Amino acid sequence: MAGRAASRQGTLVALRAIVGEAGWVGDPEAIAAHTLDWRRRWRGPALAVVKPASTAEVAEVVAVCAKAGVPVVPQAGNTSLVGGAVPRAGEPSVVLSVSRLRSIRRIDPIDGTMVVEAGCVLADVQREARAAGWLLPLALAAEGTAEIGGLLSTNAGGVHVLRYGTARQLTLGLEVVLPDGRIWDGLRLLRKDNTGYDLKQLFIGAEGTLGIVTAAALQLSPGLRDRRVLWLGVRDPHAALGVLAQARHELGEALVAFELISRVALELVLAHVPGSSDPLPAPASWYVLLEAATSAAAPWLGNAVERLLETAARAGLLCDAVVASTSEQETALWRLRESIPEAEVREGPSIKHDIAVPVSRVPALVAQGAALLEAAWPGGRVVAFGHLGDGNLHFNLSCPGADPVALRAAEPRLNALIFDLVGRLEGTISAEHGIGQLRREELAARRSPLELELMRRIKQALDPAGIMNPGKVL
């Protein structure tokens, strides 16, 4: 034991020398912030928290840890909702934060690309892209704190997947520190490259279990000039699908986002988020938040929106509708959608699910899932909202006043109900939040043995010592 303690102390001394005082986190409160997850559900011990200032320093830190057999937990903005960015209990690790890797290395207005480091906050990268006349279309509620490295490591989705795809589709190349400390420079700016395996895809969505993303080459889109934001009242998800079909026909590629929001979800926001107000004079059972936008001036867009509303109304799909007439109104409508998670927390304990099914099966998911969960937990209410355009819903059971211990004990049973339903509907148990610690056992139970074998082979090939973010995903 004394020898192990001395070895660990030597490792910590070496790490501190690499990152210097500016990169060494010594304050206990600051350390605690890096060892507790966003939902305050998981906490694990840290031997040290380090913040390298360059890719070279990241590589040196990882090489020292690999030689000593010390686990490394990569961390970006620590906004993971599945416990993927903190040490697991009982396994002291070195938390490696990429938050000092904040350089935007280049923006190429001809290629429409930018190369950014992993610690860049998404909102800052979006702002720099706009200043150059371009758009980084990755957009989500946590963009003011979420960092690029974490977003790529979890293959973040967000509200614009319908038009632009996930982080995977926006990434042209990566720079990655491998588990042995070597640096793979895959920062290519090409949209076409068929020279062998597309290695960057291994690291996107791997949640830091195969290496540490230190920089990324991102594909930009033309900036948006003409925009329409609509809040629509509909009777049920079937009607919302009808509106979606009409929107695709009338708006085409201008359709950017199509969000489904239950009345229950909106009521939580109205009750718990100051300054929020109901956009429509009479309540509807369900709502659609629709955004359409073009990169060029489009006089036709307003007419297309009018045709959409007229067509949907004649088909009996709409209860009511409002079209934002100012940027302030657009922001207010989006704030209602983005405030739902905050309102859920204020309402009380809940069990959260980030699931997806084929778009056509969303109504079945909503109807059958709500019936299953609300019968299994009397007094609970399903709060459903999310990205109807790509089939991904946040399907949560709100249980205000519930005993948190009893609810946690019932969680595996309740999860099984909804995940079995998702399986029957040919969906997934995690659409954009990832696996982390939260869904690890469920992934093992619900993926085929061959898929799991292939995942483990990849992990073994890249991280044979198992030091990179252990206990996550697999």
Side-chain angles (χ1 to χ4, degrees):
M1 294 295 290
R4 178 182 298 179
S7 175
R8 282 186 172 177
Q9 186 59 35
T11 299
L12 298 183
V13 170
L15 296 180
R16 191 165 188 168
I18 292 168
V19 300
E21 292 308 306
W24 182 261
V25 180
D27 177 70
E29 287 189 13
I31 292 174
H34 288 277
T35 60
L36 180 66
D37 81 297
W38 184 263
R39 285 182 172 166
R40 310 183 71 82
R41 181 167 179 173
W42 288 277
R43 185 188 290 279
L47 293 171
V49 176
V50 295
K51 296 183 176 183
S54 66
T55 298
E57 286 189 6
V58 173
E60 288 185 68
V61 167
V62 172
V64 167
C65 290
K67 184 176 180 180
V70 174
V72 178
V73 176
Q75 189 176 98
N78 197 19
T79 58
S80 170
L81 300 177
V82 293
V86 294
R88 62 177 175 178
E91 186 166 29
S93 307
V94 169
V95 175
L96 192 156
S97 168
V98 298
S99 63
R100 292 178 70 205
L101 303 180
R102 288 286 175 95
S103 173
I104 295 179
R105 296 183 184 176
R106 66 183 287 193
I107 299 179
D108 192 317
I110 302 299
D111 284 340
T113 61
M114 64 192 309
V115 177
V116 302
E117 293 186 340
C120 291
V121 174
L122 176 57
D124 296 336
V125 178
Q126 293 170 331
R127 186 162 48 250
E128 291 295 323
R130 284 195 300 271
W134 289 86
L135 170 73
L136 178 64
L138 185 61
L140 59 159
E143 60 195 29
T145 52
E147 296 173 5
I148 293 297
L151 293 167
L152 299 184
S153 294
T154 55
N155 186 31
V159 297
H160 293 162
V161 169
L162 172 63
R163 176 163 170 178
Y164 297 103
T166 64
R168 194 179 295 280
Q169 281 75 51
L170 301 175
T171 304
L172 298 171
L174 293 178
E175 177 185 83
V176 180
V177 173
L178 301 176
D180 60 5
R182 289 181 295 170
I183 300 170
W184 173 57
D185 182 0
L187 283 175
R188 300 180 180 93
L189 301 174
L190 302 173
R191 287 167 172 79
K192 290 181 176 180
D193 184 358
N194 272 346
T195 53
Y197 301 133
D198 191 357
L199 295 179
K200 69 177 181 293
Q201 301 297 351
L202 287 175
F203 302 100
I204 301 173
E207 300 183 46
T209 62
L210 302 179
I212 301 176
V213 173
T214 52
L218 303 176
Q219 176 175 318
L220 304 176
S221 294
L224 298 177
R225 294 177 59 184
D226 207 343
R227 183 186 190 204
R228 299 290 189 279
V229 176
L230 292 70
W231 183 275
L232 312 176
V234 296
R235 65 177 183 272
D236 56 30
H238 280 288
L241 278 185
V243 177
L244 175 60
Q246 294 287 347
R248 284 173 167 158
H249 178 72
E250 295 290 350
L251 302 172
E253 294 181 356
L255 183 59
V256 174
F258 198 95
E259 299 288 297
L260 181 68
I261 301 163
S262 69
R263 177 67 192 182
V264 173
L266 177 61
E267 286 176 348
L268 293 186
V269 174
L270 298 177
H272 295 293
V273 179
S276 58
S277 60
D278 199 328
L280 301 178
S285 297
W286 290 85
Y287 300 95
V288 165
L289 177 59
L290 183 156
E291 180 173 327
T294 61
S295 56
W300 58 267
L301 185 58
N303 293 332
V305 167
E306 288 183 10
R307 288 196 305 271
L308 167 63
L309 294 176
E310 291 171 0
T311 304
R314 284 199 304 269
L317 300 174
L318 295 183
C319 302
D320 203 349
V322 62
V323 181
S325 58
T326 66
S327 60
E328 290 78 14
Q329 290 178 358
E330 293 171 353
T331 299
L333 292 178
W334 271 109
R335 184 169 179 264
L336 291 174
R337 160 64 180 87
E338 293 167 350
S339 297
I340 296 171
E342 173 191 348
E344 285 186 294
V345 171
R346 295 183 180 182
E347 177 73 1
S350 64
I351 294 179
K352 301 183 184 298
H353 303 109
D354 164 45
I355 52 184
V357 296
V359 174
S360 62
R361 299 179 186 180
V362 168
L365 169 67
V366 169
Q368 296 176 40
L372 287 168
L373 292 181
E374 291 175 0
W377 190 273
R381 293 195 303 170
V382 165
V383 180
F385 63 99
H387 322 303
L388 179 60
D390 57 49
N392 170 207
L393 286 189
H394 304 293
F395 202 78
N396 305 332
L397 183 65
S398 176
C399 307
D403 175 10
V405 175
L407 187 62
R408 181 69 59 85
E411 188 170 354
R413 174 175 59 87
L414 298 171
N415 286 346
L417 291 173
I418 197 67
F419 292 157
D420 287 347
L421 172 61
V422 166
R424 293 193 294 273
L425 296 174
E426 299 182 298
T428 177
I429 65 171
S430 182
E432 58 183 4
H433 291 169
I435 298 300
Q437 300 180 64
L438 178 64
R439 302 295 183 219
R440 186 182 56 194
E441 284 72 24
E442 286 152 342
L443 175 73
R446 295 176 184 277
R447 282 294 185 95
S448 72
L450 179 56
E451 285 179 288
L452 294 169
E453 178 189 338
L454 293 173
M455 290 183 197
R456 292 191 179 102
R457 285 188 179 184
I458 293 170
K459 172 71 170 174
Q460 177 65 24
L462 292 175
D463 183 22
I467 70 162
M468 193 59 65
N469 212 9
K472 318 297 165 48
V473 184
L474 297 172

